[in-house]
């Protein structure tokens, strides 16, 4: 059983040392709770749980604390996928729900598994998800001042359970001040992908991640026999060719955990029951 989570990027230039410490502590707490959950649950249920905890923490740009788009509205996206069935389900630009990842998870049972905008919100309402504002005062202040701090943030989780099953989940509150209707990578196979061989979640600039097909490339390369380290390396070389801004976390079916970013510093934490690692 192993688990790795990410919470976007940290920049010394626009975030304080206190914020860095707070994010390190939050990630440690979340991954410890999530690993305990993994002991008695599947990797699929665990990644949803881990991402929901990240969505509930306003330090991160997903769920509560999501960025505000250029028209003053928060729209969020999330997706989840398991390696066995390879069914990806997700929501795109959903409004006024507390945990987009749980709506994405609920869609797994449907034939139409990725919904956007009002359709996603209507589905959430019909299935008992209460109306909930995820806005916090800090984001409104940033919006009104037209600041863009924290605009390269997404949260995600990758896990392998005791049965060797892989799963991945990813959620984002957007980059902030985007054109309404803009679609990020998080609910696409570029930003969130797994099969029985490897699982990968991305964070960064969604347009760069989509252009590079980052998650799908890494997983495909591992499937074709490349090591997870080499698959990451080759994919990030290609990302560099377009000056792409991204970070990614992954686990292969041998239990190898790996992470890489194109521009420091991706916020992440991993735990395998013995060894804990957190970004510095």
């Amino acid at each position: 059983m192993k688990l790795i989570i990410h919470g976007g990027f940290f920049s010394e230039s626009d975030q304080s040392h206190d914020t860095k410490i707070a994010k390190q502590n939050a990630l440690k707490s979340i991954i410890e709770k999530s690993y305990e959950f993994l002991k008695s649950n599947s990797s699929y249920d665990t990644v949803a749980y881990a991402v929901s905890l990240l969505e509930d923490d306003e330090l991160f740009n997903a769920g509560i604390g999501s960025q505000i788009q250029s028209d003053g509205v928060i729209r969020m996206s999330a997706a989840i996928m398991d390696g066995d069935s390879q069914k990806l389900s997700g929501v795109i630009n959903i409004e006024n729900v507390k945990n987009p990842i749980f709506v994405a998870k609920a869609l797994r049972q449907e034939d139409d598994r990725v919904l956007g905008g009002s359709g996603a919100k209507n589905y959430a309402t019909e299935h008992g998800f209460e109306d909930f504002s995820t806005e916090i005062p800090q984001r409104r202040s940033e919006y009104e001042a037209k600041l863009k701090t924290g605009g390269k943030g997404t949260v995600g989780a990758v896990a392998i359970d005791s049965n060797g099953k892989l799963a991945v989940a990813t959620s984002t509150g957007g980059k902030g001040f985007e054109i309404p209707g803009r679609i990020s990578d998080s609910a696409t196979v570029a930003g969130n992908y797994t099969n029985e061989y490897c699982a990968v979640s991305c964070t960064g600039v969604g347009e760069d991640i989509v252009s590079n097909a980052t998650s799908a490339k890494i997983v495909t390369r591992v499937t074709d026999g490349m090591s997870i380290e080499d698959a990451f390396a080759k994919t990030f070389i290609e990302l560099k060719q377009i000056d792409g801004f991204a970070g990614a976390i992954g686990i292969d079916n041998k239990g190898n955990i790996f992470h890489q970013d194109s521009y420091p510093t991706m916020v992440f934490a991993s735990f395998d029951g013995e060894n804990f690692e957190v970004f510095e």
Side-chain angles (χ1 to χ4, degrees):
M1 297 188 302
K2 297 184 180 182
L3 180 68
I4 183 168
I5 60 177
H6 69 69
F9 278 81
F10 175 83
S11 171
E12 299 282 0
S13 64
D14 59 27
Q15 292 175 291
S16 69
H17 180 71
D18 288 345
T19 298
K20 181 178 182 179
I21 297 299
K23 287 189 173 184
Q24 289 171 332
N25 290 338
L27 288 175
K28 183 175 182 180
S29 174
I30 288 170
I31 204 163
E32 287 175 343
K33 290 177 183 176
S34 299
Y35 190 83
E36 191 65 28
F37 185 91
L38 180 60
K39 289 179 179 178
S40 55
N41 292 276
S42 68
S43 57
Y44 184 76
D45 288 335
T46 299
V47 293
Y49 174 72
V51 167
S52 75
L53 296 180
L54 289 160
E55 289 176 335
D56 289 345
D57 193 322
E58 65 182 48
L59 282 169
F60 305 106
N61 176 29
I64 296 171
S66 290
Q67 294 284 341
I68 301 173
Q69 297 191 352
S70 60
D71 61 350
V73 176
I74 290 173
R75 298 178 180 90
M76 302 164 289
S77 297
I80 185 169
M81 188 174 185
D82 70 287
D84 268 5
S85 73
Q86 287 193 262
K87 287 184 177 180
L88 181 147
S89 56
V91 291
I92 297 171
N93 286 330
I94 193 170
E95 300 176 29
N96 295 314
V97 295
K98 184 180 181 183
N99 294 111
I101 195 61
F102 286 148
V103 185
K105 187 182 181 189
L107 280 163
R108 185 180 187 273
Q109 65 184 335
E110 307 292 347
D111 291 332
D112 305 321
R113 293 194 299 273
V114 181
L115 299 180
S118 60
K121 174 58 176 173
N122 290 341
Y123 180 88
T125 300
E126 291 168 3
H127 287 78
F129 291 91
E130 296 180 357
D131 203 60
F132 185 93
S133 173
T134 55
E135 182 180 318
I136 59 173
Q138 176 189 343
R139 295 298 189 221
R140 180 56 59 179
S141 297
E142 291 171 355
Y143 172 76
E144 291 174 350
K146 298 191 181 299
L147 298 177
K148 295 188 178 182
T149 56
K152 301 179 178 68
T154 295
V155 305
V158 177
I160 185 168
D161 59 28
S162 58
N163 296 314
K165 305 298 183 183
L166 291 160
V168 58
T170 309
S171 181
T172 187
K175 64 180 182 179
F177 310 99
E178 60 265 65
I179 298 171
R182 177 254 185 186
I183 295 173
S184 75
D185 65 289
S186 297
T188 75
V189 298
N192 183 95
Y193 192 63
T194 183
N195 61 15
E196 63 183 297
Y197 296 97
C198 185
V200 176
S201 173
C202 290
T203 183
V205 175
E207 286 75 6
D208 295 345
I209 294 166
V210 169
S211 295
N212 182 244
T214 306
S215 289
K217 276 185 176 179
I218 294 170
V219 171
T220 299
R221 284 168 170 157
V222 173
T223 302
D224 289 344
M226 193 175 284
S227 71
I228 191 170
E229 293 90 346
D230 289 345
F232 265 78
K234 184 172 178 59
T235 303
F236 272 77
I237 287 171
E238 293 167 347
L239 183 70
K240 186 176 182 179
Q241 292 170 356
I242 61 170
D243 194 28
F245 192 118
I249 58 174
I251 303 177
D252 66 18
N253 61 355
K254 298 175 184 176
N256 296 308
I257 299 176
F258 201 77
H259 60 85
Q260 189 167 338
D261 49 35
S262 61
Y263 290 89
T265 300
M266 180 174 61
V267 172
F268 77 93
S270 65
F271 189 57
D272 63 5
E274 295 182 1
N275 301 304
F276 174 80
E277 183 182 5
V278 66
F279 82 100
E280 296 180 352

